[in-house]
Amino acid sequence: MSPAAEALERRAVVRTLLAGREDLAVVTGLGSPSYDTVAAGDHDLNYYLWGAMGSAATVGLGLAIAQPRRPVLVITGDGEQLMGLGALATIAVQRPANLTIAVLDNERYAETGMQRSHTGAGVRIDQVAAACGFAWTAEVRESAGVDQLRARLTAFTGPNLAVCKVEPTDLPRVLPPIDAVYLKHRLRLALGFPPR
Amino acid sequence: MSTPETDWPDALFSSLLEAGIGTVAYVPDAGHARVIALAHEAESITAVPLTTEEEGIGYLAGAWLGGLKGVLLMQSSGVGNCINTLALAAQARFPLLMLVTMRGEWAELNPWQNPAGGAAEESLRLMGVRTWRAERADEVEPLVSGALAMTFAGDMSGAVLLGQRLIGRKLW
Protein backbone atom coordinates (compact mmCIF):
# COMPACT_ATOMS: atom_id res chain seq x y z
CA MET A 1 0.00 0.00 0.00
CA SER A 2 1.44 3.39 -0.90
CA PRO A 3 1.40 6.15 1.71
CA ALA A 4 -0.80 8.24 -0.59
CA ALA A 5 -3.66 5.85 0.24
CA GLU A 6 -3.77 7.02 3.83
CA ALA A 7 -0.96 8.87 5.48
CA LEU A 8 -0.31 11.42 8.16
CA GLU A 9 1.19 14.91 8.04
CA ARG A 10 4.61 14.41 9.61
CA ARG A 11 4.87 17.64 11.55
CA ALA A 12 1.40 17.16 13.02
CA VAL A 13 2.50 13.71 14.22
CA VAL A 14 5.53 15.16 16.01
CA ARG A 15 3.53 18.08 17.48
CA THR A 16 1.04 15.61 18.93
CA LEU A 17 3.75 13.35 20.38
CA LEU A 18 5.56 16.27 22.02
CA ALA A 19 2.54 18.21 23.33
CA GLY A 20 2.74 18.58 27.11
CA ARG A 21 5.97 16.61 27.15
CA GLU A 22 7.15 17.40 30.72
CA ASP A 23 10.21 15.24 31.50
CA LEU A 24 10.35 13.41 28.15
CA ALA A 25 13.82 13.26 26.57
CA VAL A 26 13.97 13.09 22.77
CA VAL A 27 16.66 11.80 20.38
CA THR A 28 16.21 12.48 16.68
CA GLY A 29 17.66 10.85 13.59
CA LEU A 30 19.34 12.96 10.96
CA GLY A 31 17.34 14.83 8.33
CA SER A 32 13.61 15.43 8.27
CA PRO A 33 12.79 13.94 11.71
CA SER A 34 15.18 16.48 13.27
CA TYR A 35 13.54 19.31 11.32
CA ASP A 36 10.08 18.11 12.35
CA THR A 37 11.13 17.97 15.99
CA VAL A 38 12.65 21.44 16.14
CA ALA A 39 9.63 22.76 14.24
CA ALA A 40 7.52 21.59 17.19
CA GLY A 41 9.74 23.67 19.49
CA ASP A 42 13.38 23.38 20.49
CA HIS A 43 13.89 21.95 23.99
CA ASP A 44 16.82 21.39 26.35
CA LEU A 45 15.94 17.69 26.50
CA ASN A 46 16.24 17.23 22.71
CA TYR A 47 19.36 15.62 21.23
CA TYR A 48 19.50 15.98 17.45
CA LEU A 49 21.79 13.79 15.37
CA TRP A 50 23.19 15.32 12.19
CA GLY A 51 25.04 12.17 11.13
CA ALA A 52 26.10 8.73 12.43
CA MET A 53 23.20 7.33 10.41
CA GLY A 54 21.59 4.34 12.10
CA SER A 55 22.48 5.53 15.60
CA ALA A 56 19.33 7.32 16.79
CA ALA A 57 17.86 4.18 18.35
CA THR A 58 21.09 3.20 20.09
CA VAL A 59 21.57 6.70 21.52
CA GLY A 60 18.00 6.42 22.79
CA LEU A 61 18.78 3.03 24.31
CA GLY A 62 21.75 4.40 26.23
CA LEU A 63 19.77 7.35 27.54
CA ALA A 64 16.85 5.09 28.50
CA ILE A 65 19.10 2.71 30.44
CA ALA A 66 20.91 5.57 32.17
CA GLN A 67 17.63 7.34 33.07
CA PRO A 68 15.17 4.50 33.73
CA ARG A 69 12.53 6.69 35.40
CA ARG A 70 12.42 9.16 32.50
CA PRO A 71 10.50 8.48 29.29
CA VAL A 72 12.73 8.55 26.21
CA LEU A 73 11.43 8.98 22.65
CA VAL A 74 13.46 8.39 19.49
CA ILE A 75 12.04 10.17 16.46
CA THR A 76 13.65 8.95 13.26
CA GLY A 77 13.00 8.10 9.64
CA ASP A 78 12.60 4.86 7.73
CA GLY A 79 15.98 5.17 6.00
CA GLU A 80 17.78 5.93 9.27
CA GLN A 81 16.19 3.00 11.08
CA LEU A 82 16.82 0.64 8.16
CA MET A 83 20.54 1.34 8.64
CA GLY A 84 20.19 0.24 12.27
CA LEU A 85 17.89 -2.77 12.09
CA GLY A 86 20.25 -4.78 14.28
CA ALA A 87 19.81 -2.18 17.00
CA LEU A 88 16.19 -3.29 17.31
CA ALA A 89 17.44 -6.72 18.38
CA THR A 90 19.88 -5.15 20.83
CA ILE A 91 17.11 -3.00 22.33
CA ALA A 92 14.71 -5.92 22.59
CA VAL A 93 17.28 -7.90 24.61
CA GLN A 94 17.60 -5.00 27.09
CA ARG A 95 13.82 -4.36 27.25
CA PRO A 96 13.93 -0.73 28.41
CA ALA A 97 10.36 -0.05 29.61
CA ASN A 98 10.80 3.72 29.15
CA LEU A 99 11.92 3.70 25.50
CA THR A 100 9.70 4.39 22.49
CA ILE A 101 10.79 4.66 18.86
CA ALA A 102 8.62 6.55 16.38
CA VAL A 103 9.64 5.94 12.77
CA LEU A 104 8.29 8.66 10.48
CA ASP A 105 7.98 6.55 7.35
CA ASN A 106 7.57 8.40 4.05
CA GLU A 107 9.00 5.42 2.17
CA ARG A 108 11.61 7.79 0.77
CA TYR A 109 15.09 9.19 1.31
CA ALA A 110 13.87 12.78 1.34
CA GLU A 111 17.26 14.34 2.08
CA THR A 112 18.89 12.94 -1.05
CA GLY A 113 16.16 13.36 -3.63
CA MET A 114 13.15 11.27 -2.61
CA GLN A 115 14.54 7.91 -3.73
CA ARG A 116 12.32 5.01 -2.62
CA SER A 117 13.35 3.15 0.52
CA HIS A 118 12.86 -0.52 1.37
CA THR A 119 9.67 0.28 3.30
CA GLY A 120 8.11 1.41 0.02
CA ALA A 121 8.82 -2.06 -1.32
CA GLY A 122 6.98 -3.68 1.57
CA VAL A 123 9.52 -4.02 4.38
CA ARG A 124 7.69 -3.64 7.72
CA ILE A 125 9.95 -2.15 10.40
CA ASP A 126 7.22 -2.56 13.04
CA GLN A 127 7.08 -6.28 12.30
CA VAL A 128 10.86 -6.53 12.54
CA ALA A 129 10.62 -4.92 16.00
CA ALA A 130 7.80 -7.27 16.97
CA ALA A 131 9.80 -10.29 15.88
CA CYS A 132 12.77 -9.02 17.92
CA GLY A 133 10.57 -8.91 21.00
CA PHE A 134 9.45 -5.29 21.46
CA ALA A 135 6.63 -5.11 24.00
CA TRP A 136 4.37 -3.07 21.71
CA THR A 137 4.52 -2.27 18.01
CA ALA A 138 2.14 -0.67 15.55
CA GLU A 139 1.78 0.71 12.07
CA VAL A 140 -0.07 4.00 12.35
CA ARG A 141 -1.95 5.68 9.50
CA GLU A 142 -4.56 7.74 11.39
CA SER A 143 -4.47 10.41 14.06
CA ALA A 144 -6.17 8.10 16.56
CA GLY A 145 -3.13 5.83 16.31
CA VAL A 146 -0.85 8.78 17.04
CA ASP A 147 -2.86 9.47 20.20
CA GLN A 148 -2.42 5.84 21.26
CA LEU A 149 1.30 6.12 20.64
CA ARG A 150 1.40 9.33 22.67
CA ALA A 151 -0.16 7.49 25.62
CA ARG A 152 2.50 4.77 25.37
CA LEU A 153 5.36 7.25 25.85
CA THR A 154 4.78 7.57 29.59
CA ALA A 155 3.28 4.15 30.33
CA PHE A 156 6.63 2.48 31.10
CA THR A 157 5.53 -0.73 29.39
CA GLY A 158 8.00 -0.63 26.51
CA PRO A 159 10.07 -0.94 24.52
CA ASN A 160 7.62 0.39 21.94
CA LEU A 161 8.02 1.03 18.23
CA ALA A 162 5.48 2.61 15.91
CA VAL A 163 5.89 3.14 12.21
CA CYS A 164 3.92 6.28 11.38
CA LYS A 165 3.16 6.34 7.68
CA VAL A 166 3.57 9.98 6.58
CA GLU A 167 3.04 11.84 3.34
CA PRO A 168 6.13 12.11 1.11
CA THR A 169 6.18 15.89 1.31
CA ASP A 170 9.31 18.01 1.09
CA LEU A 171 8.65 20.66 3.75
CA PRO A 172 10.76 23.77 4.40
CA ARG A 173 13.70 22.85 6.60
CA VAL A 174 13.72 24.06 10.19
CA LEU A 175 17.28 23.52 11.33
CA PRO A 176 18.19 22.52 14.89
CA PRO A 177 21.41 23.71 16.55
CA ILE A 178 24.32 21.98 14.79
CA ASP A 179 26.97 22.04 17.53
CA ALA A 180 26.88 18.55 19.03
CA VAL A 181 28.98 19.56 22.04
CA TYR A 182 26.55 22.36 22.88
CA LEU A 183 23.60 19.98 22.58
CA LYS A 184 25.36 17.43 24.81
CA HIS A 185 26.08 19.94 27.56
CA ARG A 186 22.62 21.50 27.28
CA LEU A 187 20.92 18.15 27.80
CA ARG A 188 23.21 17.06 30.64
CA LEU A 189 22.74 20.36 32.45
CA ALA A 190 18.96 19.98 32.05
CA LEU A 191 19.27 16.55 33.70
CA GLY A 192 21.08 18.13 36.63
CA PHE A 193 24.68 17.14 35.92
CA PRO A 194 27.34 19.75 36.79
CA PRO A 195 29.11 21.74 34.06
CA ARG A 196 32.25 20.09 32.70
CA MET B 1 47.44 -21.56 39.25
CA SER B 2 46.86 -17.95 38.37
CA THR B 3 49.76 -15.95 37.01
CA PRO B 4 50.14 -12.42 35.67
CA GLU B 5 49.86 -13.99 32.20
CA THR B 6 46.35 -15.23 32.91
CA ASP B 7 45.12 -12.64 35.43
CA TRP B 8 45.08 -9.63 33.14
CA PRO B 9 41.33 -9.83 32.37
CA ASP B 10 40.54 -9.67 36.08
CA ALA B 11 42.90 -6.73 36.52
CA LEU B 12 41.29 -5.04 33.51
CA PHE B 13 37.84 -5.55 34.97
CA SER B 14 38.93 -4.14 38.33
CA SER B 15 40.09 -1.01 36.50
CA LEU B 16 36.62 -0.63 35.01
CA LEU B 17 34.96 -0.90 38.42
CA GLU B 18 37.41 1.54 40.01
CA ALA B 19 36.71 4.06 37.24
CA GLY B 20 32.97 3.90 37.92
CA ILE B 21 32.07 2.10 34.70
CA GLY B 22 28.42 1.12 34.91
CA THR B 23 27.84 -0.47 31.52
CA VAL B 24 29.83 -2.69 29.17
CA ALA B 25 28.73 -2.99 25.54
CA TYR B 26 30.34 -5.69 23.46
CA VAL B 27 30.53 -7.90 20.44
CA PRO B 28 32.01 -11.14 21.76
CA ASP B 29 35.60 -12.18 21.24
CA ALA B 30 37.43 -15.11 22.79
CA GLY B 31 40.03 -12.69 24.14
CA HIS B 32 37.30 -10.77 25.98
CA ALA B 33 35.44 -13.86 27.24
CA ARG B 34 36.51 -13.49 30.88
CA VAL B 35 35.70 -9.76 31.04
CA ILE B 36 32.32 -10.32 29.37
CA ALA B 37 31.47 -13.01 31.92
CA LEU B 38 32.52 -10.74 34.79
CA ALA B 39 30.41 -7.89 33.36
CA HIS B 40 27.32 -10.09 33.28
CA GLU B 41 27.96 -11.26 36.85
CA ALA B 42 28.55 -7.80 38.36
CA GLU B 43 25.47 -6.16 39.88
CA SER B 44 26.81 -2.68 39.21
CA ILE B 45 27.26 -3.31 35.47
CA THR B 46 24.67 -3.37 32.71
CA ALA B 47 26.10 -5.74 30.08
CA VAL B 48 24.83 -5.02 26.57
CA PRO B 49 25.53 -7.48 23.76
CA LEU B 50 25.47 -5.79 20.35
CA THR B 51 24.73 -7.15 16.89
CA THR B 52 27.48 -4.97 15.40
CA GLU B 53 30.18 -2.85 16.97
CA GLU B 54 29.01 0.61 15.89
CA GLU B 55 25.84 0.20 17.94
CA GLY B 56 28.08 0.57 20.97
CA ILE B 57 29.18 4.07 19.97
CA GLY B 58 25.61 5.37 19.86
CA TYR B 59 24.68 3.42 22.97
CA LEU B 60 27.57 4.80 25.02
CA ALA B 61 26.86 8.34 23.79
CA GLY B 62 23.29 8.05 25.04
CA ALA B 63 24.44 6.51 28.31
CA TRP B 64 26.84 9.41 28.86
CA LEU B 65 24.06 11.91 28.15
CA GLY B 66 22.14 10.20 30.95
CA GLY B 67 25.07 10.11 33.36
CA LEU B 68 26.21 6.50 32.91
CA LYS B 69 29.85 5.68 32.08
CA GLY B 70 30.64 2.70 29.87
CA VAL B 71 33.21 1.03 27.63
CA LEU B 72 33.00 -0.85 24.32
CA LEU B 73 34.62 -4.27 23.81
CA MET B 74 35.32 -5.70 20.38
CA GLN B 75 37.73 -7.66 18.21
CA SER B 76 39.91 -5.89 15.65
CA SER B 77 37.64 -7.10 12.84
CA GLY B 78 34.95 -4.81 14.30
CA VAL B 79 36.94 -1.60 14.07
CA GLY B 80 36.02 -1.09 10.44
CA ASN B 81 32.34 -1.35 11.26
CA CYS B 82 32.70 1.68 13.52
CA ILE B 83 34.31 4.16 11.15
CA ASN B 84 31.46 6.50 10.18
CA THR B 85 29.76 6.22 13.56
CA LEU B 86 32.95 7.44 15.25
CA ALA B 87 31.87 10.86 13.95
CA LEU B 88 29.30 10.92 16.74
CA ALA B 89 31.94 10.62 19.45
CA ALA B 90 34.29 13.01 17.66
CA GLN B 91 31.73 15.67 16.84
CA ALA B 92 30.08 15.73 20.27
CA ARG B 93 33.28 14.94 22.17
CA PHE B 94 31.66 12.06 23.97
CA PRO B 95 34.12 10.13 26.13
CA LEU B 96 34.60 6.79 24.34
CA LEU B 97 36.96 3.99 25.30
CA MET B 98 37.17 0.94 23.06
CA LEU B 99 39.01 -2.19 24.23
CA VAL B 100 40.09 -4.06 21.11
CA THR B 101 41.45 -7.59 21.09
CA MET B 102 43.72 -8.08 18.10
CA ARG B 103 43.52 -10.71 15.41
CA GLY B 104 45.44 -10.90 12.18
CA GLU B 105 48.71 -9.54 13.51
CA TRP B 106 50.67 -12.50 14.94
CA ALA B 107 50.44 -16.30 14.49
CA GLU B 108 47.11 -15.83 12.74
CA LEU B 109 45.95 -18.92 10.88
CA ASN B 110 42.76 -17.41 9.47
CA PRO B 111 44.01 -15.07 6.76
CA TRP B 112 40.61 -13.34 6.50
CA GLN B 113 41.51 -11.65 9.77
CA ASN B 114 44.68 -10.12 8.36
CA PRO B 115 43.40 -7.12 6.37
CA ALA B 116 41.37 -5.65 9.25
CA GLY B 117 43.92 -6.67 11.85
CA GLY B 118 46.66 -4.87 9.96
CA ALA B 119 44.58 -1.74 9.43
CA ALA B 120 42.79 -1.45 12.78
CA GLU B 121 45.14 0.89 14.64
CA GLU B 122 45.79 3.16 11.67
CA SER B 123 42.05 3.30 10.91
CA LEU B 124 41.29 4.38 14.46
CA ARG B 125 43.95 7.08 14.31
CA LEU B 126 42.63 8.34 10.98
CA MET B 127 39.29 8.88 12.73
CA GLY B 128 40.90 10.79 15.57
CA VAL B 129 40.92 7.98 18.13
CA ARG B 130 43.96 7.93 20.46
CA THR B 131 45.45 4.43 20.71
CA TRP B 132 47.50 2.55 23.26
CA ARG B 133 48.87 -0.96 22.77
CA ALA B 134 49.39 -3.73 25.34
CA GLU B 135 51.68 -6.60 24.35
CA ARG B 136 52.36 -8.06 27.80
CA ALA B 137 50.04 -8.99 30.66
CA ASP B 138 51.64 -6.52 33.08
CA GLU B 139 50.92 -3.65 30.68
CA VAL B 140 47.16 -4.15 30.53
CA GLU B 141 45.97 -2.70 33.83
CA PRO B 142 48.12 0.46 33.75
CA LEU B 143 47.21 1.16 30.11
CA VAL B 144 43.48 0.60 30.65
CA SER B 145 43.30 2.61 33.85
CA GLY B 146 45.26 5.41 32.22
CA ALA B 147 43.09 5.34 29.10
CA LEU B 148 39.95 5.48 31.24
CA ALA B 149 41.34 8.51 33.06
CA MET B 150 42.24 10.36 29.86
CA THR B 151 39.14 9.62 27.82
CA PHE B 152 36.70 10.57 30.57
CA ALA B 153 38.66 13.59 31.82
CA GLY B 154 39.27 14.79 28.29
CA ASP B 155 35.94 13.99 26.59
CA MET B 156 37.88 12.16 23.88
CA SER B 157 37.90 8.88 21.97
CA GLY B 158 40.51 6.26 22.74
CA ALA B 159 41.23 2.60 22.17
CA VAL B 160 43.44 0.13 24.00
CA LEU B 161 44.62 -2.57 21.61
CA LEU B 162 45.26 -5.90 23.31
CA GLY B 163 47.88 -7.60 21.15
CA GLN B 164 47.49 -11.06 19.72
CA ARG B 165 50.66 -12.23 21.49
CA LEU B 166 49.00 -11.27 24.78
CA ILE B 167 45.77 -13.06 23.89
CA GLY B 168 47.61 -16.16 22.73
CA ARG B 169 47.54 -18.36 19.67
CA LYS B 170 44.19 -19.55 18.45
CA LEU B 171 44.57 -23.26 17.77
CA TRP B 172 42.66 -24.84 14.89
Side-chain angles (χ1 to χ4, degrees):
Chain A
M1 185 185 287
S2 81
E6 189 160 21
L8 297 152
E9 199 282 295
R10 55 187 308 139
R11 292 199 172 155
V13 171
V14 174
R15 276 197 307 273
T16 299
L17 293 178
L18 298 182
R21 56 186 285 177
E22 298 180 350
D23 60 346
L24 178 76
V26 176
V27 177
T28 68
L30 74 171
S32 299
S34 288
Y35 314 148
D36 300 334
T37 302
V38 79
D42 191 21
H43 196 288
D44 287 353
L45 292 175
N46 287 357
Y47 198 83
Y48 311 99
L49 300 186
W50 280 81
M53 189 162 172
S55 297
T58 54
V59 173
L61 173 65
L63 188 51
I65 285 180
Q67 296 274 315
R69 285 183 289 280
R70 177 182 300 278
V72 175
L73 171 63
V74 173
I75 301 174
T76 191
D78 46 305
E80 208 273 349
Q81 192 58 65
L82 284 164
M83 200 174 278
L85 280 184
L88 300 179
T90 294
I91 290 166
V93 168
Q94 297 299 318
R95 298 193 68 79
N98 56 332
L99 179 63
T100 300
I101 300 173
V103 180
L104 305 178
D105 182 5
N106 62 1
E107 305 183 354
R108 303 286 195 287
Y109 291 91
E111 194 71 20
T112 54
M114 286 288 178
Q115 299 90 348
R116 288 188 78 81
S117 82
H118 295 48
T119 59
V123 172
R124 295 280 305 269
I125 295 174
D126 58 308
Q127 291 192 3
V128 174
C132 287
F134 271 57
W136 179 85
T137 63
E139 183 183 87
V140 175
R141 292 179 179 271
E142 303 170 335
S143 60
V146 180
D147 294 334
Q148 290 166 12
L149 173 61
R150 173 70 183 82
R152 291 273 169 182
L153 298 182
T154 52
F156 291 88
T157 55
N160 310 300
L161 183 143
V163 170
C164 301
K165 290 288 183 179
V166 297
E167 297 161 352
T169 46
D170 195 8
L171 299 170
R173 291 177 179 172
V174 184
L175 300 181
I178 201 166
D179 187 323
V181 177
Y182 161 71
L183 291 168
K184 174 184 69 170
H185 289 313
R186 185 176 76 161
L187 193 150
R188 281 177 52 93
L189 288 169
L191 293 179
F193 297 110
R196 297 273 296 158
Chain B
M1 195 177 90
S2 66
T3 68
E5 283 67 40
T6 57
D7 281 352
W8 67 261
D10 293 69
L12 187 161
F13 190 71
S14 295
S15 297
L16 302 184
L17 294 178
E18 284 169 21
I21 295 300
T23 188
V24 172
Y26 67 90
V27 173
D29 179 60
H32 281 311
R34 172 72 178 154
V35 173
I36 291 168
L38 290 169
H40 276 279
E41 289 169 13
E43 283 190 11
S44 63
I45 300 275
T46 301
V48 178
L50 310 166
T51 71
T52 181
E53 291 80 1
E54 67 270 30
E55 291 174 8
I57 296 169
Y59 168 69
L60 292 177
W64 175 253
L65 284 176
L68 180 63
K69 295 170 69 172
V71 293
L72 173 57
L73 274 52
M74 71 181 72
Q75 179 189 95
S76 51
S77 54
V79 167
N81 293 346
C82 295
I83 296 300
N84 182 57
T85 312
L86 284 168
L88 172 60
Q91 201 60 24
R93 290 181 52 219
F94 282 112
L96 171 67
L97 182 60
M98 307 155 79
L99 303 177
V100 182
T101 45
M102 295 302 298
R103 293 285 305 272
E105 65 167 14
W106 172 79
E108 179 61 70
L109 296 180
N110 177 357
W112 287 53
Q113 289 281 357
N114 296 349
E121 184 165 11
E122 195 172 353
S123 301
L124 289 165
R125 287 183 172 175
L126 283 169
M127 289 304 291
V129 179
R130 180 74 71 94
T131 60
W132 298 270
R133 179 175 270 275
E135 300 289 356
R136 299 194 318 269
D138 63 0
E139 294 176 326
V140 174
E141 191 280 332
L143 281 177
V144 170
S145 64
L148 284 163
M150 274 184 75
T151 50
F152 283 94
D155 291 339
M156 58 180 269
S157 298
V160 176
L161 309 183
L162 303 167
Q164 197 164 8
R165 291 183 69 183
L166 168 72
I167 309 294
R169 285 176 190 257
K170 178 167 179 165
L171 301 176
W172 295 80

